[in-house]
């Protein structure tokens, strides 16, 4: 009988598959993970305190840097929180433009996330390159509308910074025409890939009740079979007039999370098509002309949340009546979705751990804040 | 695997409904709300009114009871957020717990006020494992002690760090971690 003992190893912070500077303190018994503690804070910059010394509008570009894949969605959550606090009305057209940008963000996030996930499984680059190719096309659109590819800073209180450029719609329509082929191709690459099936089916199972107790949101929660999507559960913006389905998984493993993301890309495309159809009839301009950007909200607190591609992003703001927030708290989806990582990895192999982490889809800018 | 059955959200409880129920079912758990001072007063312009909350203020020792009541009796099972606010002028921390139902709709917020010198509150992690990181963050940045938390360690700052950086009286300039060249 060989003498065996448990071994504690660090995976990260400098590790290619930890999606940033993220460390996992893993206890292994041979190849099997018996315990895992996520360790982070390497990118911590006390975002929330920086926000307390800025005016409300100055924080808008800072929200881009939370989840730098989804700058538009972060902008939306923050703009909604301030608008709710001050009582700014958003014109219909601006709401359509916002939804358009956020749903494009969802597509590019999932395309990237799936690509990175396959990369983590060892199927080097092909899938990632496909995802990145689509992402680039959407980033080009973002650049034409906001002037920046990643840090868009496009939203303002009461609307968006500027209206669409003239060539935006033709380019968007071209993109949408090419979109189904891309999603189908991606799904085929995933579903018919023996490596992927072996590595993802039955791995990292998060049961329904546990997913809820762990407060996870987004594709991780829906992959576990809870049809909870804030766009439906507490409709904001114009989502109550748009028709879309909420994909849910059945088992709660890595494979289900992949399928949920693929289907969400299709649903986002559906939403964008409805937005394009309804946009010409929408009332108002791209911004409420009466909305002041230099806001001084009344004393009070407010919480506003949106469904970003990663889950529930909420902003809790407390105002003391001045032009700067008294308290600015970010409820970051990536951060909370990491909580069950230890439970999801327990009992699986070290190589599975990397895949499970990839299936949560974290961005460290948001986790560490 | 597509669920489109989720329709219009169910009507939700308002904060007043919740208070009425809590007074009836858990006597002594709800505190009456006193307005908080607002600091710092603005350099110019009118002085703002005092801060009054419309949410339910709960006795710190009873927070677990009330949270379980929300989960088991009212079906508010999803703990979305735990947030700390430092009201320096009133010498208190306010901790905001936010709950939702999975059926959808608006939130119910519970607020707990603890003194700044001795910020101790029972942990919810035993019942909501998802409270784990929220509470560690509150401990790290504000120094709130959650009794019964399984692993109450710093989460962002390094373990040897002294002080709680999000507190309003934490020096923003010139602490010992900042070098002279910065």
């Amino acid at each position: 009988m060989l003498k065996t003992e448990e071994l504690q190893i660090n995976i990260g912070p400098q590790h290619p598959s930890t999606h940033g500077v993220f460390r996992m303190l893993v206890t292994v018994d041979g190849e099997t993970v018996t315990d895992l503690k996520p360790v982070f804070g390497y990118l911590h910059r006390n975002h929330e305190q920086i926000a307390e010394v800025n005016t409300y509008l100055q924080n808008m570009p800072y929200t881009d840097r939370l989840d730098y894949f989804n700058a538009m969605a972060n902008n939306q959550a923050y703009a909604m929180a301030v608008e709710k606090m001050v009582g700014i009305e958003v014109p219909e057209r601006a709401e359509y433009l916002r939804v358009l940008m956020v749903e494009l963000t969802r597509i590019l996030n999932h395309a990237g996330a799936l690509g990175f996930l396959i990369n983590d499984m060892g199927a080097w680059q092909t899938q990632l390159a496909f995802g990145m190719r689509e992402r680039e096309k959407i980033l080009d659109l973002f650049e034409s509308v906001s002037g920046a590819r990643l840090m868009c800073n496009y939203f303002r209180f009461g609307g968006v910074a500027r209206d669409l450029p003239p060539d935006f719609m033709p380019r968007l329509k071209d993109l949408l025409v090419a979109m189904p082929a891309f999603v189908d191709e991606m799904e085929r690459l995933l579903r018919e890939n023996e490596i992927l099936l072996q590595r993802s089916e039955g791995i990292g199972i998060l049961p329904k009740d546990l997913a809820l107790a762990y407060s996870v949101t987004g594709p991780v929660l829906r992959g576990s079979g809870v049809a909870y999507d804030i766009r439906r559960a507490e409709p904001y913006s114009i989502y109550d007039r748009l028709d879309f389905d909420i994909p849910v998984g059945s088992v709660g493993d890595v494979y289900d999370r992949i399928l949920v993301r693929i289907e969400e890309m299709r649903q986002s495309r559906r939403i964008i098509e409805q937005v394009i159809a309804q946009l010409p009839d929408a009332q108002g301009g791209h911004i409420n002309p009466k909305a002041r950007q230099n806001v001084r909200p009344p004393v009070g607190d407010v919480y506003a949340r949106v469904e970003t591609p990663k889950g529930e992003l909420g902003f809790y703001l407390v105002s003391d009546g001045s032009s700067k927030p008294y308290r600015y708290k970010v409820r970051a989806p990536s951060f909370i979705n990491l909580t069950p990582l230890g439970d999801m990895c327990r009992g699986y192999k070290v190589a599975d751990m990397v895949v499970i982490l990839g299936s949560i889809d974290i961005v460290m800018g948001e986790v560490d804040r | 695997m597509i669920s489109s059955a989720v329709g219009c959200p169910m009507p939700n409880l308002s904060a007043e409904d919740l208070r009425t129920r809590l007074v009836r079912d858990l006597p002594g758990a709800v505190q009456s709300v006193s307005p908080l001072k607002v600091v710092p007063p603005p350099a110019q312009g009118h002085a703002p009114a005092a801060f009054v909350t419309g949410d339910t203020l709960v006795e710190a020792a009873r927070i677990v009871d009330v949270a379980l009541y929300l989960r088991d009796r009212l079906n508010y099972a999803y703990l979305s957020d735990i947030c700390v606010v430092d009201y320096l002028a009133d010498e208190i921390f306010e901790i905001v717990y936010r709950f939702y139902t999975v059926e959808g709709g608006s939130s119910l917020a519970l607020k707990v006020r603890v003194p700044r010198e001795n910020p101790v509150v029972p942990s919810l992690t035993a019942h909501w494992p998802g409270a784990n990181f929220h509470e560690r963050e509150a401990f790290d940045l504000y120094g709130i002690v959650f009794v019964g938390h399984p692993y109450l360690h710093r989460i962002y700052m390094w373990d040897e760090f002294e002080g709680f950086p999000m507190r309003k009286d934490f020096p923003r300039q010139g602490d010992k971690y900042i070098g002279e060249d910065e």
Side-chain angles (χ1 to χ4, degrees), chain B residues 111-132:
Chain B
K111 290 185 175 174
V112 167
R113 288 177 183 173
V114 290
R116 278 182 112 252
E117 311 86 69
N118 184 26
V120 179
V121 69
S123 167
L124 289 187
T125 306
H127 305 283
W128 277 270
N132 189 335

Side-chain angles (χ1 to χ4, degrees), chain B residues 95-115:
Chain B
I95 307 164
V96 186
Y97 299 80
R98 195 165 294 278
F99 292 87
Y100 288 93
T101 68
V102 187
E103 282 76 38
S106 55
S107 66
L108 282 181
L110 300 177
K111 290 185 175 174
V112 167
R113 288 177 183 173
V114 290

Side-chain angles (χ1 to χ4, degrees), chain A residues 212-226:
Chain A
L212 201 57
Y214 267 117
S215 302
V216 296
T217 45
V220 184
L221 180 67
R222 292 191 284 277
S224 295
V226 184

Side-chain angles (χ1 to χ4, degrees), chain A residues 40 46 49 52-53 213-215 217 228 233 245-246 248 301 305 312 320 326-327 329 331 336 367 369, chain B residues 1-4 38-39 78-80 82 84 86 100 105 111 130 134 137 142 155-156 165-166 168 172:
Chain A
F40 39 83
N46 219 344
Q49 194 175 60
E52 284 175 10
V53 297
Y214 267 117
S215 302
T217 45
Y228 189 76
D245 295 322
I246 302 170
V248 290
D301 62 340
R305 57 177 193 159
E312 172 181 339
D320 59 355
Y326 184 73
R327 174 79 168 107
K329 151 99 192 192
R331 191 263 184 222
I336 301 307
V367 174
R369 297 198 300 286
Chain B
M1 69 176 243
I2 285 176
S3 152
S4 53
V38 177
V39 283
Y78 164 41
L79 170 65
S80 157
I82 299 176
V84 186
D86 181 359
Y100 288 93
K111 290 185 175 174
H134 284 305
E137 185 190 350
Y142 282 94
I155 193 163
Y156 290 137
M166 277 296 284
K168 289 279 179 189
R172 288 190 179 161

